[in-house]
Amino acid sequence: MLPLICPLLFVTRLMITASASDHTTNFVFNGFASANLLLDGMATVTSTGLLQLTEPTDQDMGHAFYPYPLPFKNASSAAALSFSTSFVFAIVPRYPDLTGHGIAFVLSASSDLTPALPSQYIGLFNKSDQGKLSNHLIAVEFDTNYSPEFDDINNNHVGIDVNSLRSVYSASASYFSDGVGTQNLTLASGNLFQAWVEYDQFECLLNVTLAPLELKKPSVPLLSSFVNLSSFITDYMHIGFSSAVGSFPASHYLFGWSFALNGRDVAIDISLLPRLPIIITTPKSKLLIKYGLPAIGGAMLVVAGFATCAFILIRKKIKFAELLEDWEQEHGPQRFSYKDLYIATKGFGEKEFLGAGGFGRVYKGVLPRTKTHVAVKKISHETRHGMRQFVAEIISIGHLRHQNLVQLLGYCRRKGELLLVYDFMPNGSLDRFLFDKPESMLDWKQRLHIIKGVASGLFHLHEEWDQVVIHRDIKASNVLLDSQMNGRLGDFGLSRLYDHGSDPQTTHVVGTLGYLAPELTRTGKATTSTDVYAFGGFLLEMACGRGPVETKALPEKMILVDWVHENWRKGSILDIRDPNLEEFSAVEMELVLKLGLLCSHPKPSCRPRMRLVMQVLDGDAALPEELLADWNESFAVGNDGFADLINLVESAFSKSVVSLTESTGKKTER
Ligand SMILES: *[C@@H]1O[C@H](CO)[C@@H](O)[C@H](O)[C@H]1NC(C)=O
Ligand SMILES: *[C@@H]1O[C@H](CO)[C@@H](O)[C@H](O)[C@H]1NC(C)=O
Ligand SMILES: *[C@@H]1O[C@H](CO)[C@@H](O)[C@H](O)[C@H]1NC(C)=O
């Protein structure tokens, strides 16, 4: 096996100017490997020198303090001394939008904050001491949660706290950029930020400045507030950090910290911070030393031989190079080596190619050790931004086990490439059995079985797991068939890839034309209800044996859902069933068509939830057919269909569509 990490590299990279002896009041830690901090709770320093204050778990906290209290008062005047500090941090929630409670820089008379509470108390106070002068605690909070009880302004703010979580000053997280103005930023994004906290003893001004790591210190602070620290501190104060999580797991990291009492702190050297990806390739130089040098003394022939050998080895290492970062340790079991996947898929050969989907190319393979049959999806992805959250999320979703979901087994990362490994589905995707004169046609019984399976899989994603998973791209080609011809939903969670690493302010509509709920193209917000809409399209597809949009069809037939609705209105709904189906139950067919219509209702409020869908399919609940009469808002009826379709596409594109593939039953996926 290749050496995974090179710890030496990090030890030598560490630089500490402080000897941390008697009266050292200035220091800089570019990484914390030998910082000797006082840690409690979840706080740990990783082998690479990263200070991790919280782990991705819930209801817990962590503290890290400089080992010695510092003399914060001017000996003669007893006034608080000036200080300046800067630090680099990142907040990585396990699930985007569901954050922990943030991180705080702390000045405290006591270094023991273990009696404090996690979650909204950020590990600083508890219910009984919150707000008391006797705390002698001043904090700058980077709060990622909205706590109305402490009058928080929002769930993404910076605040100055004096003995209380009710901040004396706060501002929404942002930074000032010369010539551009104020720029918002999202603290809990997994991105690295640098913060500066400065206090001036004469003006009693406390300044807090924030910026993305790659930028230099903004000229205008985010907060510049009058706080007379002299009244709140004791002679000696501890300095450090506190962080807490509540109901949702999140990791809070510090990469570097610089501090100076009564002076200017030294700038953190960003190039030394423990944050670079660790690439699993032995550096060429090492290989040459190992294989090249001993040969120099030998004959030229031997040299040449070794050199060739080294060359081949290097080539091989480069070929199998992958990206592995520190944070991936927690995903250990789900991490596949690129070499194994390369061997499994015979080098991603054309013969193993199964198909190309909206997200990338899919190959079949057999894992070398376990002989498991797998499907490997290769997704090209240039941004490293947000990759960590995405992987965490995909892995977390991969823990979902259900007979109607395609199981994710793990992943691997390379430069610009993410590989996802799934259970292999021997019968491929459902659309192969439905459209374009399939080799073998599914009969009605099989179709109903698949419909019920997919409904059950989607119900599981929406309502049965501990978080709601929105699929966002339900369609026949994303339904795969296992060896027993059970329908299984694939690709769930993948659409989120487009959310990560992109500007959060733009809306991406992800999905497939004909399955996109009308409100989705307006708001861009995927919900369980937009999934139900797409599921409705899938039901109609199964019953009618055609795609939801058929551009070559007569105008009134082009948009399937409107055509079905028109026939429902005229009382001729059975006329539009798949003409190739010879045997079927009229009652079941009618039920599926009407249920499909109801799910595809233009008004989200009229669409059933998946629980009701299951009950209707099982005959345990009646279909609320009366809702079908309320169909006014339909976006495309009859002859206007084509024009409206164009509008739909245009409006979707104007909202920056990333994946909008027309589905008329093309063969895709596995
Ligand atoms: C920045 O965030 C604040 C607070 O959430 C909001 O009021 C403001 O509109 C945002 N500005 C921009 C340019 O998005
Ligand atoms: C704090 O910010 C104000 C306003 O930009 C500035 O005048 C002052 O010098 C700053 N103080 C410190 C200690 O950086
Ligand atoms: C700050 O408080 C100290 C002691 O309470 C006082 O002596 C000093 O004048 C105050 N400074 C300012 C600028 O208000």
Side-chain angles (χ1 to χ4, degrees), residues 327-572:
W327 54 265
E328 295 185 82
Q329 278 168 13
E330 62 182 281
H331 306 316
Q334 286 95 7
R335 172 86 197 203
F336 283 84
S337 84
Y338 184 69
K339 193 173 168 185
D340 279 357
L341 298 184
Y342 190 89
I343 294 168
T345 57
K346 306 210 170 85
F348 298 96
E350 277 312 305
K351 273 176 83 181
E352 317 301 313
F353 178 63
L354 289 172
F359 295 96
R361 293 163 72 81
V362 185
Y363 297 83
K364 73 167 186 281
V366 181
L367 291 176
R369 272 184 279 271
T370 56
K371 305 290 173 228
T372 317
H373 289 257
V374 293
V376 182
K377 186 165 276 201
K378 251 184 153 187
I379 302 166
S380 67
H381 195 267
E382 289 308 328
T383 43
R384 219 162 48 78
H385 253 33
M387 184 45 98
R388 173 189 199 140
Q389 286 131 288
F390 179 71
V391 167
E393 188 173 320
I394 276 291
I395 294 293
S396 145
I397 291 176
H399 291 144
L400 272 167
R401 304 222 180 245
H402 191 274
Q403 73 216 35
N404 297 108
L405 298 175
V406 180
Q407 185 66 45
L408 176 77
L409 302 174
Y411 78 105
C412 175
R413 286 195 316 130
R414 304 238 299 159
K415 195 164 180 297
E417 207 171 54
L418 175 70
L419 298 107
L420 297 175
V421 184
Y422 290 95
D423 256 352
F424 179 66
M425 293 291 122
N427 283 315
S429 71
L430 174 60
D431 57 343
R432 292 199 306 139
F433 294 90
L434 277 184
F435 310 122
D436 297 342
K437 303 199 176 60
E439 303 143 32
S440 74
M441 174 78 97
L442 293 172
D443 65 26
W444 179 245
K445 245 184 92 190
Q446 286 172 310
R447 290 190 199 191
L448 202 58
H449 177 69
I450 293 167
I451 287 173
K452 286 182 178 174
V454 172
S456 158
L458 190 57
F459 171 65
H460 190 68
L461 290 180
H462 283 184
E463 297 179 37
E464 281 188 321
W465 202 41
D466 53 3
Q467 50 162 206
V468 177
V469 178
I470 296 171
H471 186 291
R472 297 191 190 206
D473 203 6
I474 293 161
K475 56 180 169 179
S477 60
N478 266 343
V479 172
L480 297 149
L481 298 173
D482 65 16
S483 53
Q484 276 116 47
M485 296 299 274
N486 291 309
R488 290 174 175 240
L489 271 171
D491 272 0
F492 47 95
L494 267 196
S495 324
R496 298 286 292 167
L497 190 59
Y498 289 122
D499 288 2
H500 291 302
S502 58
D503 184 352
Q505 259 128 47
T506 58
T507 314
H508 297 304
V509 177
V510 177
T512 302
L513 188 58
Y515 299 88
L516 292 172
E519 78 273 14
L520 185 60
T521 60
R522 278 197 308 271
T523 63
K525 192 163 163 27
T527 60
T528 51
S529 180
T530 57
D531 264 3
V532 169
Y533 183 92
F535 179 76
F538 163 73
L539 289 183
L540 299 182
E541 217 176 356
M542 293 290 274
C544 305
R546 54 156 278 192
V549 180
E550 220 138 77
T551 38
K552 290 196 205 77
L554 293 172
E556 64 269 25
K557 293 186 180 178
M558 197 160 55
I559 310 277
L560 181 59
V561 53
D562 287 316
W563 188 45
V564 177
H565 188 259
E566 186 59 18
N567 279 278
W568 171 81
R569 220 177 36 78
K570 292 194 297 204
S572 54

Side-chain angles (χ1 to χ4, degrees), residues 105-106 213 343 396 592 613 663:
F105 170 72
V106 187
L213 182 64
I343 294 168
S396 145
V592 168
V613 169
S663 169

